[in-house]
């Protein structure tokens, strides 16, 4: 996050022992025969990472629930409401699988007029899947992409990122999560190769100044751990990782661990989903709901609540914990097609703007922080950290 890029696992010691030493050139064996040349060193296109190229700094508030996403149904007045929120940092990643479950529950009401509340990752996918199930759908939302929280996400396929606490990853939850993850993964394959590349695979490199064996162990964290599900449940979907030691790549005397993973170019991807929804007859109405009683004014009797972090205030759901995530967006650089993780900073080569994010050394970074004010100093530190890989390579 072998498995996808996942900073908490990589920091814990990603993979086997790293390759050490420079590559040998052509030589002569003990029997006098020539050895074949080794592979050419990995050459990573330099990133133009400088603070003067920052175009925007955004803050996303992720909706974490210790017990995992809320997918139950309830009746409020005359409305049948199916909930679909609380996915932590896995909203986009699990959206198709989670929304499939929510839509199945909504359709049991017998109604064919469905209202979806919210127009983010879970709202858009819920609306599209409800249409495909034969429903007439209206999305009601205060904000639309690119002004929703989902549009401010990092854009990587991280299906177990803060999905729940490990203590709540029961066998039943694991089965549900695996269903959501596999459904979403397979659905995303249908977006590969489309114009404007809404979804693509990239290589991402965890970079360290020390070999794996020399890294200092962190002190035990007394806080409850988050669930770690990928290797156990969907390991067959994760390509094997590759190690690069000093001299085998263009980043100097460092150690690299490469994984392949999916990336969402969210500007184009969200626009594609909205276009598909409207083309299928869907409607979008701007509306704001302050309490569940406000739903009474809607024509539809069956609702899917996909309000994400907004559900905390709308439904008084104090189980939703905010997790702050800030992105520094930098002018796109099309020739850069790989990601990096170095010294607690993530770099993602999105086509709608390079993304730099300080993510700390564990998943409690930004936890229970609902501040949405951009921190310019944090953004510049993130950009300069990645820049240092090339300035001193």
């Amino acid at each position: 996050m072998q498995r996808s890029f996942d900073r908490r696992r990589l920091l814990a010691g990603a993979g086997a022992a790293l390759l050490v030493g420079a590559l040998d050139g052509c030589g002569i064996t003990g029997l006098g025969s020539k050895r074949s040349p080794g592979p050419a060193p990995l050459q990573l296109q330099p990133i133009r990472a400088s603070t003067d190229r920052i175009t925007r700094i955004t803050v996303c508030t992720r909706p974490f629930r210790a017990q995992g996403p809320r997918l139950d149904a309830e009746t409020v007045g005359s409305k049948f409401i199916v909930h679909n929120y609380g996915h932590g940092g896995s909203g986009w990643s699990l959206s198709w699988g989670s929304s499939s479950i929510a839509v199945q529950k909504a359709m049991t009401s017998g109604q064919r007029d469905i209202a979806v509340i919210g127009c983010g990752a879970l709202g858009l996918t819920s609306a599209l899947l409800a249409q495909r199930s034969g429903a007439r759908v209206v999305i009601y939302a205060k904000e639309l992409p690119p002004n929703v929280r989902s549009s401010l996400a990092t854009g990587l396929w991280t299906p177990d990122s803060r999905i729940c606490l490990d203590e709540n990853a029961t066998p039943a939850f694991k089965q549900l999560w695996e269903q959501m993850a596999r459904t979403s993964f397979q659905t995303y394959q249908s977006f590969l190769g489309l114009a404007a590349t809404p979804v693509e695979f990239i290589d991402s490199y965890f970079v360290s100044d020390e070999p794996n064996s020399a890294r200092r162990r962190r002190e035990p964290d007394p806080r409850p751990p988050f669930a770690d599900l990928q290797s156990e449940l969907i390991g067959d979907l994760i390509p094997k990782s590759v190690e690069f030691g000093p001299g085998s790549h263009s980043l100097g005397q460092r150690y690299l661990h490469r994984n392949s993973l999916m990336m969402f170019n969210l500007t184009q991807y969200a626009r594609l989903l909205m276009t598909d929804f409207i083309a299928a007859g869907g409607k979008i109405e701007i509306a704001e709901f302050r309490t569940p009683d406000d739903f009474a004014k809607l024509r539809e009797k069956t609702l899917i609540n996909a309000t994400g972090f907004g559900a905390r205030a709308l439904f008084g759901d104090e189980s939703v914990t905010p997790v702050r995530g800030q992105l520094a967006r930098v002018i796109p650089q099309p020739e850069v097609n790989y990601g990096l993780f170095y010294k607690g900073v993530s770099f993602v080569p999105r086509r709608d703007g390079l993304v730099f994010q300080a993510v700390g050394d564990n998943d409690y970074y930004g936890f229970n922080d609902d501040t949405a004010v951009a921190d310019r100093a944090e953004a510049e530190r993130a950009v300069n950290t990645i820049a240092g890989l090339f300035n001193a390579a």
Side-chain angles (χ1 to χ4, degrees):
M1 156 62 344
Q2 231 117 334
R3 68 179 64 174
S4 67
F5 174 82
D6 188 315
R7 59 185 171 80
R8 67 175 180 271
R9 300 188 191 104
L10 290 172
L11 289 168
L18 295 168
L19 299 176
V20 182
L23 291 174
D24 293 329
C26 293
I28 304 298
T29 69
L31 298 176
S33 60
K34 285 189 175 183
R35 289 187 297 185
S36 300
L42 172 70
Q43 295 293 326
L44 296 178
Q45 179 72 35
I47 300 169
R48 297 171 68 184
S50 59
T51 57
D52 62 299
R53 294 175 64 82
I54 295 175
T55 58
R56 189 183 182 194
I57 302 172
T58 60
V59 178
C60 175
T61 306
R62 308 178 190 90
F64 169 75
R65 298 180 78 241
Q67 59 272 59
R70 187 177 181 188
L71 285 165
D72 63 303
E74 64 174 324
T75 299
V76 177
S78 63
K79 307 298 184 182
F80 180 67
I81 302 175
V82 178
H83 297 290
N84 189 14
Y85 68 86
H87 298 71
S90 304
W92 284 110
S93 301
L94 295 177
S95 58
W96 292 102
S98 181
S99 295
S100 177
I101 295 169
V103 168
Q104 289 174 18
K105 293 183 177 182
M107 298 303 287
T108 64
S109 70
Q111 298 290 323
R112 290 300 178 266
D113 291 295
I114 304 291
V116 173
I117 314 301
C119 198
L122 281 303
L124 286 170
T125 50
S126 292
L128 283 163
L129 289 172
Q131 285 180 325
R132 296 172 189 176
S133 295
R136 293 177 293 272
V137 184
V138 178
I139 294 176
Y140 296 92
K142 179 183 177 181
E143 302 285 355
L144 305 179
N147 298 316
V148 296
R149 287 188 176 92
S150 293
S151 293
L152 308 180
T154 307
L156 293 176
W157 193 70
T158 54
D160 67 351
S161 174
R162 298 188 186 89
I163 190 62
C164 71
L165 292 181
D166 185 63
E167 62 192 27
N168 294 320
T170 63
F173 180 84
K174 288 182 178 181
Q175 182 179 21
L176 179 70
W177 178 87
E178 182 177 357
Q179 176 187 341
M180 293 190 292
R182 290 186 180 277
T183 297
S184 298
F185 184 87
Q186 294 304 322
T187 303
Y188 275 121
Q189 306 316 297
S190 67
F191 290 91
L192 297 174
L194 296 182
T197 320
V199 179
E200 61 184 310
F201 274 88
I202 63 168
D203 288 334
S204 192
Y205 298 86
F206 173 77
V207 184
S208 176
D209 294 326
E210 300 176 319
N212 190 47
S213 59
R215 293 177 206 159
R216 291 177 292 179
R217 295 179 179 270
R218 297 196 307 273
E219 293 297 323
D221 193 327
R223 295 170 293 188
F226 294 86
D228 182 351
L229 305 176
Q230 290 193 60
S231 60
E232 176 186 353
L233 299 174
I234 57 170
D236 57 302
L237 301 181
I238 311 304
K240 293 182 179 179
S241 61
V242 180
E243 316 290 347
F244 297 86
S248 65
H249 56 79
S250 59
L251 295 184
Q253 299 301 302
R254 297 187 176 93
Y255 301 82
L256 276 58
H257 175 101
R258 183 175 70 193
N259 287 281
S260 297
L261 66 154
M262 276 193 298
M263 178 181 73
F264 315 128
N265 292 300
L266 292 181
T267 299
Q268 180 60 26
Y269 178 53
R271 180 172 295 182
L272 174 62
L273 297 185
M274 290 186 68
T275 299
D276 286 353
F277 172 69
I278 293 171
K283 297 181 180 179
I284 299 175
E285 295 189 17
I286 304 301
E288 182 176 5
F289 306 96
R290 299 186 183 278
T291 73
D293 292 338
D294 293 340
F295 295 146
K297 63 186 179 183
L298 298 181
R299 301 180 297 275
E300 298 81 9
K301 294 183 179 180
T302 298
L303 287 61
I304 298 176
N305 169 36
T307 52
F309 183 69
R312 178 184 170 97
L314 178 59
F315 283 86
D317 188 350
E318 294 299 319
S319 71
V320 178
T321 300
V323 181
R324 185 181 189 276
Q326 175 176 288
L327 305 182
R329 302 287 291 276
V330 170
I331 296 171
Q333 193 175 344
E335 68 273 20
V336 174
N337 60 357
Y338 62 90
L340 293 169
F341 184 90
Y342 181 57
K343 292 185 176 179
V345 172
S346 169
F347 163 74
V348 182
R350 283 191 10 208
R351 303 197 179 200
D352 51 355
L354 304 182
V355 170
F356 297 78
Q357 181 183 19
V359 294
D361 61 358
N362 62 64
D363 275 340
Y364 276 99
Y365 188 84
F367 190 79
N368 202 22
D369 183 353
D370 63 357
T371 58
V373 178
D375 184 339
R376 177 78 189 192
E378 179 184 280
E380 293 192 354
R381 284 195 300 272
V383 173
N384 286 331
T385 296
I386 298 300
L389 285 172
F390 302 91
N391 296 339

